[in-house]
Amino acid sequence: MFRLEGEKNRRSGHLGRENAIHDETVPGSTVQSGSCLRNGNLQTPRGKRKVQEQCAHIRRNSSRSRRPSQPQNGEVVEAVTLFEVVSMGKRAMQSVVDDWVEAYIQDRDVALLDLINFYIQCSGCQGMVTAEMFQSLCNSDVMQKMTETFDEETGLQYKKFMAYPWILTVTWPVDMDSGDYPLIKPGPYWKKFKANFCEFTAVLIQQCQYSILYDSYLMDTVISLLTGLADSRVRAFRHTSTLAALKLLTALVRVNLNLDVNKCNAQRLYQVEKNRISVKRTNHRLDQLERKRKEYEQKPLEIENMMNAIFKGTFLQRYRDVIPEIRAICIEEIGSWMKMYPDTFLNDSYLKYIGWMLYDKQPEVRLKCLLGLQGIYNRKELVSKMDLFTSRFKDRIVSMTLDKDHEVAVQAMKLLMLMSQLLSYQGTEEEVPPKRRGKFGANTCYMRKLITFFLESELHKHVTYLVDSLWDWTGSLLKDWECMTTLLLEAAEEEALSDAQESALIEIILATVREAAEGHPPVGRGAAKKILSAKEKKIQLEDCTKITEHFIVVLPQLLAKYSADAEKVANLLQIPQYYDLDVYSTGRLEKHLDALLRVVKDIVAEHSDMDVLEACSRTYYVFCNEELAIHRRADLARTQLIDELVDKLNELLADSWHEGEGLCTDEEGICRIYTTLRRIAAFHNAHNLTKWNLYGKTSKLLVFEMEYGSLPVQMILPALQCTYFALLWQLASAVERSSSKETLLALNRELRFFCQICACYLSHKDKDLSEKAFMILCDLLMILSHQSSGDDEAVGVLQYLPSTSLQSKMLLFIQDHVFTEEKEEIKDLTEEEEREKEGYKLNDLHRRRSLLAVYCKLIVFTVVEMSAAAEIYKHYMKTYNDFGDIIKETLSRTRHNNKIQSAKTLILCLQQLFQKHTETHGSTHSMDSSFTNIKELGRRFSLTFGWDQVKSRESVAMIHKEGIEFAFQGAAGVEGKCLPPNLSFLLIISEFSNKLLKPDKRLVYGYLQRYITEPASCRGDEWHPLVWYRNSLLANEDEENSVISSLREWSTTSRSKTSSFKRKLSNGSLPETSHTETTNKTPDFLCTPELTAAAGKSRKRLKSQDTSLQECLPFFCPVGLSRRRREDVIKAEDFSADGGAEDVGEDVDVVGADQVCDGLYQSCTRPGGADQSLETSPPCLCYTGSRWRGQIKGGNAGQLGLAEEEEGCVLQAAAVCCRLLQKNCLLTRLLGPWARTMLWMTSRPQRRQAAAS
């Protein structure tokens, strides 16, 4: 419910007018409120409490809000507010505005309040708005109201500003500063809302331009509202109001343009009527035209005043806003004003803002500047006004071509090209290309120049980026495929291209075909996929048809000419995948298909290069699509080719293979077998060749090599691939056709046996073979480990997970082949040898990255144990430049899968490195480079947890728990007096202390204390790691004293129940209890979940909370953490009702106090037994609820069952809480009878005496 109230001063008296609008909010909408306070009376305590209750009710209701278009309780909720109507977008915007204008004409106050309501709601305000009429107040009173303040008592913020004739008061909670609001919410719904919001503002001005726009009431109020909100410290208000105000100015610019046209028309009609003969001229008509002409002269002045008010009140304040989205909006809109209304805006006074923002730090703002300038330089009539701007900022635009943001650099280059085309420079003449014969004369010349530029320039070697850069400017040249193929096929001998030029031209042809057919930019240029408009899609279809019709005829000729060149053939064979293959059948061009298939068959027989063979296989795969009319013809050609290859292989094996002896043939025979296997492997990857039964032949070769090891390696590689592909095709068929269980069991045996073969080949002496076996093994394990995820239980028989020995073998392989670098020989190399060496290093790095990536994929998908990642993480810093992205992604994915196990893996990695360090240097060397590297690695690991401490709470707690246990592992002596050998490890885990929440720091500190039974003996330089780690857990000295005091005060006379919080810490998880659950079960720890959530939302509230928490800390501090009873009990101070209250902080937050009181009301802690551990002895509650209060009223310590010292501790805690109660009356009211009990206890002299003793 959202309500605006206004009080209007009428002649007959003050009559209250109220506009109440009830609504169900849109998804995630945050605009709801309760009833408003009349006259904005928010300063009284009663009024503030009422506002606080209303906002709390608003937040509860907003979480239950639904989309208005969805049925609720069997009924469809209809949109009832202007905000909902606009955001849903189900009605035409013009009809929505017409309805509002009609309402405005009937009662302008009610309609205008509805419009104010709309803009406040669009800001995502979780509060309410009150409106009071401006009644001739003095200037000082008015300025006093124009404020934006924060009320510490209620936790609310207020903004008062004038929207003439009202003074509006907007009230919202503090946490709105970091919340989402409609303009930045993700999803298509909110993107549509932004478009509807802008359209509403434009249509509103358009529909009002002939009537109420000039009534000196509507626009004054709206402009005052938007400029007032744009000056807010809250981002949601600034962003929304800035967008609305600038769109309003854009709409006013359009109105002004219409007025200029109407003014010219009226002036012309007036002159025509005035020049008529006096007999025919009518004075009435002339007077009417005169009035209209004067009206059109007066209206632009009013529009200019409105535009100036918006520009000065909004643009000049917000174009330097700290939020880049707001700055981008300002630059985008001023660019549109310059194009629409150059007479006013296209001058140096306005252009300077665009020039200044070219230096903005955010690429989004710089991009808007360049796009705006492109729109200006694209119009020749505007260029004459840009002379001074061009001379001033030309150097900056040129430097932006090297911008770190790719899109900004591209747009800067486009702007420079526009400037070079439109601006004339003296002494430069355009070179006229020489005339050449033929219809492709001009394009042929330009194409040769383009090829020469590509070959001679030392820029990027990939032609794809060259084509993408020129696509928008020379599209007609790059789409002239007829010219390109003519250069390749029909060039005269004196004009023939060289071999390098032909290769470059074929690469250009392939790049242009891909660009025309797909329309997506290459990697690193803009978004991954470009969303095409309807016009662009039409052009794309036309280009695909053009490509198909041309290359269907020409491609067989090109392949036949360059069939001996593997590189050129591989590029040319990629063109058919961009065909519109239906053209073959519709155009009756099957003869060209047969010619192409014959050429491809000859290429397969001629080449053994894997790139060429895979290109041929892909071509057959495209043509054999069963949905095509030509697939039978292509399938027949493929079958004939495979038959020939398999028959040839059988013949070769029959002649050279002898059972028991193996392969008996010469090198030529081995080469023929090898090339045939490579051709079959290339086709087996994309085509199902199961019916040719290749598995038996290839597996026999693998088994023989595994047993005897006498076969050539070049023969085993394609045999291994063929066997792998054969098993995959069998697996796919078994899953799709639901094979019998016997068939699946047989297939399972074959798969397991193949995995054993691959595992055996991991230790093969040939590096290429072992790495290929590792890649195949990892891929196969990934496939087999997920076979049980489907619904078919029979398929689950195929599931296979690697054994522990196999996992160890794979991990050892990664360490040897990825993280072991080869020693380089230092010698003088020529430039050519240096280039070859760099190329080899690049290929080697790519190979090692592929091996690491495929293994990390097994870790992420839990195919191998996550603990194996510890060996990978050890190399994170050393190999960061080469493998840092892969390791970081692995760490992120594993943490997403299992936070606790991922944390254990991190700490395991650090423990292993530390143990290696101690074995080498000893445990006392904690400042050498080895230990420093381990500590830095821990710091890097902590940075991967990000800023969200709540999200990483369980993981970080587990790291500290495991780290503390490891640090004190092996400590001699019952009392722990001997220095633990791993104590220096505390320095490493201290890097994770800043990722702990404050309550978790106290818990971890308490866990640390159980290992430190004699603090007095923990002194000296050798205990420095313990002191350092303890200080990293304690935020300040007061907190440290509170924790230590509480640990010493509590005795250990009784055992208690196990705390779920500590038990979950031991298991690696932390509790997540709701507010309602805390009343039914024992609180787990000092801070409730609500406090933790509040800590993440607002630091202001957290500060006031922490003040009260530190005062109450002895009452809440975790106990049962000390291993034996303290003798030196800290004496309690004598807290009196009068003197003790002075130390309490002034900024105690009501909300925070309420949350603390929930725990106070339920619990008083007592210590656990002396032999209790962290897992079994949490801080527990001895008395709760009515039992606790009843026993307090019973009188003495003996009746309560407390020891004398325990009574003193309870009294001390009660005295501390009493100080808070006496300081804040509202806190006392919240606690009720329990508060009075605390006051009663501390008022008795004998109680104070007991506390002092």
Side-chain angles (χ1 to χ4, degrees):
M1 180 173 61
F2 191 96
R3 180 174 296 175
L4 283 168
E5 290 190 4
E7 293 189 1
K8 186 175 181 180
N9 184 11
R10 299 186 180 274
R11 296 178 183 178
S12 59
H14 299 284
L15 299 177
R17 184 178 302 278
E18 181 175 283
N19 175 31
I21 303 174
H22 304 271
D23 69 309
E24 291 287 339
T25 60
V26 295
S29 176
T30 54
V31 188
Q32 294 191 24
S33 65
S35 59
C36 293
L37 300 177
R38 206 175 275 279
N39 295 327
N41 186 13
L42 303 172
Q43 301 303 321
T44 63
R46 183 177 181 182
K48 291 180 178 180
R49 287 195 301 273
K50 187 174 181 181
V51 170
Q52 180 191 4
E53 294 171 0
Q54 290 170 350
C55 288
H57 177 68
I58 292 165
R59 291 193 293 270
R60 289 194 299 268
N61 289 343
S62 64
S63 63
R64 299 191 297 265
S65 62
R66 301 181 180 179
R67 182 168 295 186
S69 60
Q70 295 178 347
Q72 299 180 11
N73 299 327
E75 298 180 358
V76 178
V77 178
E78 296 182 358
V80 294
T81 66
L82 189 59
F83 170 74
E84 291 179 349
V85 173
V86 172
S87 61
M88 292 171 63
K90 291 187 175 180
R91 293 180 56 190
M93 203 59 64
Q94 187 167 351
S95 63
V96 175
V97 173
D98 289 340
D99 293 343
W100 183 87
V101 172
E102 183 179 352
Y104 182 88
I105 294 174
Q106 294 177 0
D107 192 331
R108 66 181 187 178
D109 291 337
V110 173
L112 199 52
L113 287 174
D114 194 14
L115 186 62
I116 296 173
N117 179 0
F118 167 73
Y119 284 116
I120 297 296
Q121 284 180 299
C122 289
S123 300
C125 182
Q126 283 189 2
M128 56 186 176
V129 178
T130 58
E132 53 183 323
M133 295 300 297
F134 172 67
Q135 302 175 2
S136 302
L137 299 177
C138 59
N139 293 334
S140 60
D141 294 336
V142 175
M143 294 306 297
Q144 186 178 1
K145 287 181 176 291
M146 306 301 109
T147 58
E148 181 173 335
T149 58
F150 167 64
D151 190 274
E152 296 179 353
E153 181 177 352
T154 61
L156 301 175
Q157 291 196 26
Y158 303 91
K159 180 176 179 61
K160 290 189 176 184
F161 58 95
M162 177 176 291
Y164 189 85
W166 289 293
I167 297 177
L168 299 179
T169 303
V170 185
T171 309
W172 70 93
V174 180
D175 54 5
M176 179 184 167
D177 290 341
S178 59
D180 290 339
Y181 52 95
L183 288 184
I184 65 171
K185 285 186 177 181
Y189 182 89
W190 297 110
K191 290 182 180 179
K192 183 180 179 183
F193 165 78
K194 182 177 180 180
N196 293 338
F197 177 71
C198 298
E199 183 184 1
F200 172 80
T201 305
V203 175
L204 176 64
I205 300 301
Q206 178 184 352
Q207 297 301 104
C208 298
Q209 62 179 322
Y210 301 111
S211 55
I212 60 177
L213 188 64
Y214 309 98
D215 64 352
S216 299
Y217 189 76
L218 169 65
M219 293 304 298
D220 290 350
T221 304
V222 173
I223 293 175
S224 300
L225 169 72
L226 296 179
T227 53
L229 291 177
D231 196 33
S232 173
R233 290 175 294 182
V234 180
R235 169 179 176 171
F237 288 148
R238 292 203 317 276
H239 191 179
T240 307
S241 59
T242 300
L243 178 61
L246 298 183
K247 290 295 182 182
L248 194 70
L249 199 156
T250 303
L252 290 174
V253 169
R254 294 192 181 96
V255 172
N256 213 358
L257 292 174
N258 293 335
L259 288 176
D260 289 342
V261 175
N262 295 334
K263 179 181 176 182
C264 293
N265 293 337
Q267 181 68 25
R268 188 166 56 253
L269 290 175
Y270 178 80
Q271 292 296 335
V272 170
E273 186 68 23
K274 187 176 180 180
N275 293 334
R276 284 187 176 184
I277 304 175
S278 58
V279 178
K280 298 181 180 180
R281 184 174 59 194
T282 59
N283 293 331
H284 175 71
R285 173 66 174 168
L286 192 62
D287 294 340
Q288 184 180 8
L289 292 174
E290 177 66 18
R291 286 195 302 271
K292 184 175 292 187
R293 186 173 64 86
K294 291 182 179 181
E295 179 183 351
Y296 284 136
E297 290 177 354
Q298 182 63 28
K299 285 182 178 181
L301 297 178
E302 298 184 24
I303 297 296
E304 291 285 349
N305 292 333
M306 298 176 193
M307 292 164 57
N308 289 334
I310 297 175
F311 186 84
K312 294 178 180 179
T314 303
F315 181 89
L316 291 183
Q317 305 299 325
R318 299 276 67 84
Y319 85 96
R320 294 175 298 178
D321 196 278
V322 295
I323 305 301
E325 289 87 349
I326 298 178
R327 302 199 300 271
I329 290 173
C330 293
I331 297 303
E332 183 179 11
E333 293 304 315
I334 195 175
S336 64
W337 304 336
M338 292 176 180
K339 290 183 289 184
M340 294 168 55
Y341 203 18
D343 294 340
T344 300
F345 290 99
L346 191 58
N347 55 59
D348 298 329
S349 299
Y350 294 96
L351 281 170
K352 64 183 180 183
Y353 300 112
I354 295 183
W356 291 343
M357 301 312 289
L358 287 172
Y359 297 89
D360 195 275
K361 294 182 179 180
Q362 295 296 325
E364 178 184 1
V365 182
R366 300 195 300 271
L367 183 61
K368 294 297 182 182
C369 294
L370 294 173
L371 293 176
L373 292 173
Q374 286 180 19
I376 298 173
Y377 280 100
N378 203 18
R379 296 171 57 179
K380 296 181 180 180
E381 66 274 11
L382 303 181
V383 176
S384 60
K385 299 182 179 182
M386 302 291 293
D387 293 339
L388 182 59
F389 178 87
T390 302
S391 61
R392 172 64 179 82
F393 295 102
K394 181 177 63 177
D395 294 339
R396 171 57 183 162
I397 297 173
V398 172
S399 66
M400 292 176 72
T401 57
L402 302 177
D403 196 279
K404 63 181 181 180
D405 185 83
H406 297 298
E407 187 63 22
V408 173
V410 170
Q411 297 302 328
M413 182 62 70
K414 290 182 178 180
L415 178 59
L416 289 174
M417 294 179 71
L418 278 175
M419 296 169 64
S420 65
Q421 290 176 3
L422 296 176
L423 299 177
S424 59
Y425 295 96
Q426 295 181 356
T428 61
E429 295 181 0
E430 191 172 328
E431 183 181 355
V432 179
K435 294 184 179 180
R436 294 184 180 271
R437 53 186 180 141
K439 59 180 180 179
F440 306 113
N443 280 353
T444 300
C445 177
Y446 289 129
M447 188 58 63
R448 289 178 179 274
K449 289 184 177 181
L450 180 62
I451 296 171
T452 304
F453 169 77
F454 174 67
L455 293 175
E456 294 181 356
S457 64
E458 297 182 356
L459 300 176
H460 211 296
K461 295 183 179 181
H462 297 291
V463 74
T464 306
Y465 295 92
L466 174 65
V467 171
D468 182 70
S469 301
L470 300 175
W471 191 257
D472 295 333
W473 304 95
T474 59
S476 58
L477 171 65
L478 297 177
K479 292 181 183 180
D480 194 352
W481 295 291
E482 189 174 356
C483 172
M484 300 180 193
T485 54
T486 301
L487 275 175
L488 292 173
L489 294 174
E490 301 178 3
E493 293 185 1
E494 64 276 5
E495 298 178 354
L497 300 176
S498 63
D499 183 70
Q501 290 176 332
E502 288 178 341
S503 299
L505 182 55
I506 291 175
E507 290 183 21
I508 291 174
I509 291 175
L510 177 59
T512 54
V513 168
R514 184 187 295 115
E515 185 84 17
E518 294 182 346
H520 302 313
V523 178
R525 290 272 179 92
K529 285 190 176 181
K530 180 181 178 183
I531 300 177
L532 302 178
S533 62
K535 182 179 179 181
E536 290 174 336
K537 289 181 179 179
K538 182 180 178 181
I539 295 174
Q540 188 180 41
L541 292 175
E542 293 176 353
D543 290 339
C544 285
T545 304
K546 183 180 177 182
I547 290 169
T548 306
E549 292 176 349
H550 177 69
F551 284 97
I552 277 179
V553 179
V554 176
L555 185 59
Q557 303 175 27
L558 292 173
L559 290 173
K561 180 178 180 180
Y562 300 105
S563 60
D565 194 319
E567 181 182 359
K568 296 173 183 175
V569 167
N571 288 328
L572 290 172
L573 283 173
Q574 296 182 44
I575 296 177
Q577 61 184 305
Y578 304 107
Y579 280 2
D580 180 7
L581 296 174
D582 292 331
V583 175
Y584 275 112
S585 56
T586 57
R588 299 186 178 276
L589 301 173
E590 288 83 357
K591 62 178 183 179
H592 297 288
L593 175 62
D594 295 337
L596 177 61
L597 293 176
R598 285 194 300 269
V599 175
V600 173
K601 182 179 178 181
D602 295 338
I603 291 173
V604 171
E606 184 178 356
H607 289 273
S608 61
D609 184 78
M610 190 54 69
D611 292 336
V612 177
L613 295 175
E614 288 181 352
C616 295
S617 175
R618 193 181 302 111
T619 302
Y620 276 103
Y621 178 79
V622 170
F623 288 136
C624 291
N625 188 352
E626 295 182 358
E627 297 179 358
L628 298 175
I630 61 173
H631 84 278
R632 293 183 180 275
R633 192 182 296 263
D635 183 65
L636 179 61
R638 179 185 61 181
T639 303
Q640 293 175 354
L641 175 61
I642 300 300
D643 283 338
E644 294 179 5
L645 293 175
V646 174
D647 292 342
K648 185 177 180 180
L649 177 63
N650 293 334
E651 181 182 354
L652 291 172
L653 290 178
D655 295 340
S656 58
W657 183 266
H658 301 285
E659 293 295 337
E661 299 180 4
L663 195 65
C664 299
T665 184
D666 55 3
E667 293 184 1
E668 183 179 355
I670 293 175
C671 182
R672 294 172 64 188
I673 296 175
Y674 158 69
T675 54
T676 305
L677 283 173
R678 282 177 67 91
R679 295 182 181 113
I680 293 176
F683 277 84
H684 213 338
N685 187 9
H687 306 273
N688 188 359
L689 308 183
T690 306
K691 63 181 181 180
W692 281 276
N693 193 21
L694 294 169
Y695 174 76
K697 303 178 181 63
T698 56
S699 60
K700 182 170 61 175
L701 297 175
L702 297 180
V703 173
F704 187 86
E705 171 64 19
M706 183 176 62
E707 294 177 353
Y708 300 101
S710 60
L711 295 180
V713 175
Q714 63 267 29
M715 183 185 299
I716 299 301
L717 278 172
L720 186 66
Q721 288 180 297
C722 286
T723 309
Y724 172 58
F725 294 143
L727 289 174
L728 288 186
W729 282 111
Q730 293 181 38
L731 180 62
S733 300
V735 173
E736 291 176 359
R737 299 175 183 177
S738 300
S739 301
S740 63
K741 191 171 183 179
E742 292 75 12
T743 305
L744 294 176
L745 288 173
L747 179 59
N748 187 28
R749 287 192 296 270
E750 294 177 354
L751 290 169
R752 289 173 180 264
F753 180 67
F754 181 72
C755 289
Q756 294 176 7
I757 294 176
C758 292
C760 179
Y761 282 161
L762 293 182
S763 56
H764 199 278
K765 59 183 180 180
D766 186 80
K767 186 176 182 181
D768 294 336
L769 179 58
S770 61
E771 291 180 355
K772 176 60 70 174
F774 181 82
M775 298 285 288
I776 290 177
L777 179 61
C778 290
D779 289 340
L780 188 58
L781 289 175
M782 175 63 67
I783 296 171
L784 296 180
S785 64
H786 292 77
Q787 289 303 315
S788 62
S789 58
D791 298 333
D792 192 355
E793 296 181 359
V795 179
V797 177
L798 299 174
Q799 186 181 18
Y800 174 67
L801 292 175
S803 62
T804 304
S805 60
L806 180 57
Q807 293 185 34
S808 302
K809 200 170 185 179
M810 296 174 68
L811 183 58
L812 183 61
F813 181 88
I814 284 293
Q815 292 175 339
D816 293 339
H817 288 75
V818 175
F819 298 113
T820 303
E821 297 182 357
E822 298 179 357
K823 295 183 179 180
E824 298 183 5
E825 297 181 0
I826 302 176
K827 59 180 182 179
D828 296 334
L829 300 176
T830 62
E831 184 177 354
E832 184 67 24
E833 291 175 343
E834 191 70 30
R835 282 199 299 266
E836 292 180 358
K837 183 179 178 181
E838 291 297 327
Y840 172 78
K841 287 183 178 179
L842 186 61
N843 293 333
D844 182 68
L845 176 61
H846 177 70
R847 176 186 56 80
R848 292 160 62 196
R849 283 176 59 87
S850 300
L851 292 173
L852 180 61
V854 74
Y855 181 74
C856 289
K857 187 165 59 175
L858 297 181
I859 298 175
V860 169
F861 290 96
T862 65
V863 180
V864 300
E865 295 294 335
M866 192 180 296
S867 57
E871 294 293 334
I872 307 294
Y873 297 157
K874 293 178 182 179
H875 305 275
Y876 179 61
M877 287 182 55
K878 184 178 180 182
T879 62
Y880 183 81
N881 293 333
D882 296 337
F883 311 116
D885 55 338
I886 299 176
I887 298 177
K888 188 183 294 184
E889 184 67 18
T890 304
L891 180 58
S892 175
R893 295 290 187 91
T894 53
R895 184 176 297 155
H896 178 75
N897 295 339
N898 191 326
K899 295 180 180 179
I900 301 305
Q901 192 61 35
S902 176
K904 290 183 177 180
T905 305
L906 288 181
I907 199 67
L908 176 62
C909 170
L910 296 174
Q911 289 172 0
Q912 292 176 354
L913 289 173
F914 181 81
Q915 288 176 340
K916 184 178 179 181
H917 164 76
T918 55
E919 292 174 0
T920 306
H921 302 86
S923 59
T924 58
H925 292 77
S926 61
M927 298 306 293
D928 56 4
S929 59
S930 176
F931 185 84
T932 304
N933 291 336
I934 302 175
K935 193 170 183 292
E936 176 64 18
L937 180 61
R939 188 185 72 83
R940 294 286 189 94
F941 284 161
S942 69
L943 293 177
T944 61
F945 287 100
W947 60 270
D948 193 347
Q949 293 178 317
V950 177
K951 185 177 179 180
S952 59
R953 186 183 184 190
E954 297 178 355
S955 302
V956 178
M958 175 54 66
I959 288 176
H960 283 274
K961 175 185 176 297
E962 296 285 336
I964 292 173
E965 292 176 355
F966 177 77
F968 289 93
Q969 194 176 43
V974 179
E975 302 297 332
K977 296 181 180 179
C978 182
L979 182 70
N982 300 332
L983 188 66
S984 298
F985 192 73
L986 294 176
L987 292 174
I988 298 175
I989 62 173
S990 66
E991 297 292 341
F992 298 89
S993 297
N994 61 340
K995 298 299 179 181
L996 284 170
L997 293 171
K998 282 191 175 181
D1000 296 346
K1001 286 185 177 180
R1002 300 185 185 108
L1003 178 63
V1004 172
Y1005 182 82
Y1007 189 53
L1008 177 67
Q1009 288 296 106
R1010 52 175 292 231
Y1011 293 95
I1012 311 171
T1013 56
E1014 293 291 343
S1017 63
C1018 300
R1019 296 179 179 176
D1021 295 339
E1022 64 274 10
W1023 291 94
H1024 170 71
L1026 176 61
V1027 177
W1028 182 279
Y1029 181 58
R1030 184 193 63 181
N1031 293 338
S1032 69
L1033 294 176
L1034 300 178
N1036 50 53
E1037 185 177 357
D1038 294 337
E1039 184 177 338
E1040 179 181 358
N1041 293 336
S1042 299
V1043 175
I1044 295 177
S1045 299
S1046 63
L1047 290 173
R1048 291 178 176 177
E1049 288 169 358
W1050 295 105
S1051 63
T1052 56
T1053 58
S1054 62
R1055 300 181 64 87
S1056 58
K1057 296 181 180 180
T1058 302
S1059 170
S1060 61
F1061 191 96
K1062 290 186 177 179
R1063 184 168 61 252
K1064 290 188 176 183
L1065 176 64
S1066 301
N1067 297 331
S1069 60
L1070 295 178
E1072 296 181 1
T1073 55
S1074 63
H1075 180 71
T1076 57
E1077 292 174 346
T1078 57
T1079 61
N1080 299 325
K1081 71 175 185 177
T1082 299
D1084 292 320
F1085 191 54
L1086 163 70
C1087 212
T1088 61
E1090 289 84 353
L1091 281 175
T1092 304
K1097 290 183 178 179
S1098 174
R1099 296 191 177 273
K1100 293 182 180 179
R1101 297 172 64 188
L1102 183 61
K1103 179 180 179 181
S1104 57
Q1105 280 179 219
D1106 292 341
T1107 305
S1108 60
L1109 284 177
Q1110 291 175 9
E1111 296 292 342
C1112 302
L1113 193 55
F1115 190 69
F1116 265 96
C1117 189
V1119 296
L1121 302 177
S1122 178
R1123 300 181 69 91
R1124 68 187 188 87
R1125 181 175 176 178
R1126 294 290 182 197
E1127 296 179 357
D1128 49 343
V1129 179
I1130 303 298
K1131 293 184 178 181
E1133 297 180 7
D1134 188 6
F1135 293 102
S1136 63
D1138 298 329
E1142 296 177 356
D1143 297 331
V1144 181
E1146 294 292 333
D1147 57 345
V1148 177
D1149 183 42
V1150 174
V1151 179
D1154 186 18
Q1155 292 165 340
V1156 173
C1157 293
D1158 288 343
L1160 287 172
Y1161 187 75
Q1162 296 180 40
S1163 60
C1164 174
T1165 56
R1166 74 173 183 183
D1171 58 344
Q1172 292 172 339
S1173 63
L1174 177 66
E1175 290 78 2
T1176 60
S1177 63
C1180 23
L1181 309 176
C1182 52
Y1183 303 107
T1184 59
S1186 60
R1187 179 186 175 194
W1188 166 242
R1189 294 194 297 273
Q1191 290 176 341
I1192 287 289
K1193 294 178 182 178
N1196 55 40
Q1199 293 173 338
L1200 295 178
L1202 300 175
E1204 182 179 357
E1205 293 177 357
E1206 288 182 88
E1207 181 189 13
C1209 297
V1210 173
L1211 292 175
Q1212 179 190 358
V1216 174
C1217 296
C1218 180
R1219 295 166 60 191
L1220 290 177
L1221 299 176
Q1222 292 174 336
K1223 187 65 179 177
N1224 197 315
C1225 60
L1226 179 58
L1227 185 60
T1228 307
R1229 286 197 298 272
L1230 290 173
L1231 295 179
W1234 185 85
R1236 292 191 290 274
T1237 302
M1238 292 291 102
L1239 293 173
W1240 171 79
M1241 289 180 61
T1242 55
S1243 63
R1244 298 183 59 179
Q1246 59 268 31
R1247 303 300 180 190
R1248 294 198 300 271
Q1249 182 179 0
S1253 63

